[in-house]
Amino acid sequence: MRPSDCGGISFVPALDQLRATGRAWTDPISFREYVSAHFGPDRAAATKTAQFVSVQSWGGLRPELREAGAMVFRLGVGTFALAKAGPAGVARDYFLLDDELFAKAAATFIPDASFLDIYPFQLLGTLQEGGAVNLAIASGALAHSLRLDRPFSRVAPGRGASVYDFTVRPHDAYPAVWPHVGGQVEVDCVFFGKRDDKWKLFVVEAKLGRPDSSSRLPKYKLVYPVSALSGKGIPEDIEVIPVYLRSWFDEDARMAFFATAECSLPDVWSPVVSSLQPASSSVLAMPMAMLGATRKRPNV
C-alpha cells in the first residue's frame, strides 16, 4: 500500500514505541486502537485493517518499516505486531527474493500429459492464480520441479480459506511468541506426493506475474498455512514442504513459465518465520501455442 493510500497513517508511532522499549519486537497491538490514538477515530473507522497490515509483497512493505529494518505481522482479527530483522536485513529475514531465486535461465518443459488434460487450459486464453496451479499440476510441471516419483496425481489440489488459531514466532534470534487468533488464512494448494518412495505433504503459495525485486514473497505467506495445517493431525512421519510457485505467460512466445522454490522449515510444528529458507529452485518454460489465441467463432 502506497503512503497516499493510507490517509497519512503510518507505523512511525509504533516504531518509536519499539525503540523506547529496547526490544526487537512489540506486543500485539489493536489496529483500531492504534490508529484512533495516533491518527484520530475517524481514520480508524475508515481504514481497513487487512489492507494496512497484511503485506503481500516487498513492494507493499511500508517505507518507514524498510528504513527501520522491521516487518509487520497480522495476528488474527484486528491486531498486528512489529518485529525487527537481524543482521541479514528485513528482506532476507522476512522475504523470499524472487529476483535471485528465479534469475536462472528457463529450461524447456514438454508435458507428457494427455491432450484432454491440457486442452481446457488452452481454451481459457488466460489464467488466474488458481488456474495456473491447476495447469502446473495437470501438465506435470510442478511434479517435475519437485522431483516426484511416478505415477503422480494430476488431480486438482486441495485449496481454501478458513479461520485458524496458532502461534507466530517471527525470528529465531529472540523469544517473541504471539497468538494468531481467529484470523483467516488462505491455502492456495496442498497435496500429497511421493519422492524417493516416501510420502510428503506439499503446501504451495501461488503468485501470478513475472518475478522482480518488488514481487518478493513475504515468508509468512508460507509459514502461516503450514502453521494452520500442522494443527490438523498430520502424521509426524510425513515431511511438510513449503513451496513457492510463481507463474507467468508470454503471449508473444506462446510459453507458460513456472518458477518453483522448494523451501525448508526446520520445525513445522512450531515454525519460525525467519527460519524459512529456499532449498532449491527451478524455472520451466512450457510451450502453449494456443494460450491466449482462442478466437470466437464468427457470426453466420
Side-chain angles (χ1 to χ4, degrees):
M1 180 180 292
R2 300 183 302 272
S4 59
D5 297 330
C6 300
I9 297 171
S10 76
F11 289 106
V12 170
L15 289 167
D16 289 342
Q17 179 185 357
L18 182 61
R19 282 188 286 267
T21 64
R23 298 191 308 180
W25 71 96
T26 68
D27 292 325
I29 303 168
S30 165
F31 177 77
R32 295 290 183 194
E33 293 177 6
Y34 170 77
V35 176
S36 181
H38 297 286
F39 304 99
D42 290 342
R43 289 183 179 176
T47 306
K48 294 183 179 180
T49 304
Q51 291 180 350
F52 195 80
V53 302
S54 294
V55 177
Q56 301 298 310
S57 67
W58 175 250
L61 185 65
R62 297 274 300 173
E64 66 269 21
L65 293 175
R66 292 192 202 182
E67 292 171 8
M71 180 67 177
V72 60
F73 294 85
R74 185 184 183 189
L75 301 176
V77 177
T79 59
F80 73 95
L82 304 183
K84 295 292 289 293
V90 67
R92 293 192 180 277
D93 277 356
Y94 295 126
F95 289 81
L96 293 175
L97 307 185
D98 296 35
D99 41 326
E100 292 184 9
L101 282 173
F102 306 137
K104 60 188 67 177
T108 301
F109 172 75
I110 305 299
D112 59 2
S114 73
F115 178 75
L116 293 176
D117 290 329
I118 303 297
Y119 186 57
F121 298 98
Q122 296 173 331
L123 291 176
L124 291 174
T126 186
L127 294 174
Q128 301 302 316
E129 288 174 4
V133 173
N134 289 344
L135 176 58
I137 290 178
S139 66
L142 186 56
H144 179 82
S145 296
L146 298 175
R147 308 179 306 283
L148 299 188
D149 297 346
R150 289 177 176 272
F152 45 78
S153 175
R154 299 181 189 269
V155 177
R159 64 165 55 92
S162 189
V163 173
Y164 297 94
D165 296 342
F166 49 85
T167 58
V168 177
R169 299 172 60 198
H171 204 286
D172 51 11
Y174 41 83
V177 180
W178 302 315
H180 179 282
V181 180
Q184 180 168 293
V185 176
E186 294 185 6
V187 181
D188 287 344
C189 170
V190 58
F191 67 96
F192 279 102
K194 269 190 174 183
R195 187 162 66 196
D196 298 329
D197 205 34
K198 294 181 179 178
W199 285 108
K200 303 179 187 298
L201 183 69
F202 296 92
V203 180
V204 181
E205 173 69 18
K207 292 295 182 183
L208 201 63
R210 293 178 181 272
D212 57 35
S213 59
S214 66
S215 69
R216 295 167 174 173
L217 183 76
K219 292 182 179 181
Y220 86 87
K221 295 289 289 182
L222 275 168
V223 175
Y224 276 23
V226 169
S227 297
L229 296 175
S230 63
K232 297 298 181 180
I234 301 172
E236 292 190 7
D237 62 330
I238 299 292
E239 183 181 5
V240 180
I241 300 178
V243 176
Y244 174 27
L245 172 66
R246 178 166 284 278
S247 309
W248 67 98
F249 304 90
D250 186 327
E251 293 188 2
D252 293 332
R254 297 289 184 262
M255 301 287 282
F257 291 84
F258 300 104
T260 305
E262 180 178 325
C263 300
S264 64
L265 192 58
D267 183 358
V268 299
W269 312 109
S270 183
V272 179
V273 175
S274 67
S275 70
L276 181 84
Q277 297 296 332
S280 63
S281 65
S282 66
V283 182
L284 300 180
M286 185 173 72
M288 289 288 288
M290 293 177 62
L291 190 65
T294 321
R295 298 286 189 270
K296 292 184 178 180
R297 294 181 62 183
N299 294 324
V300 292

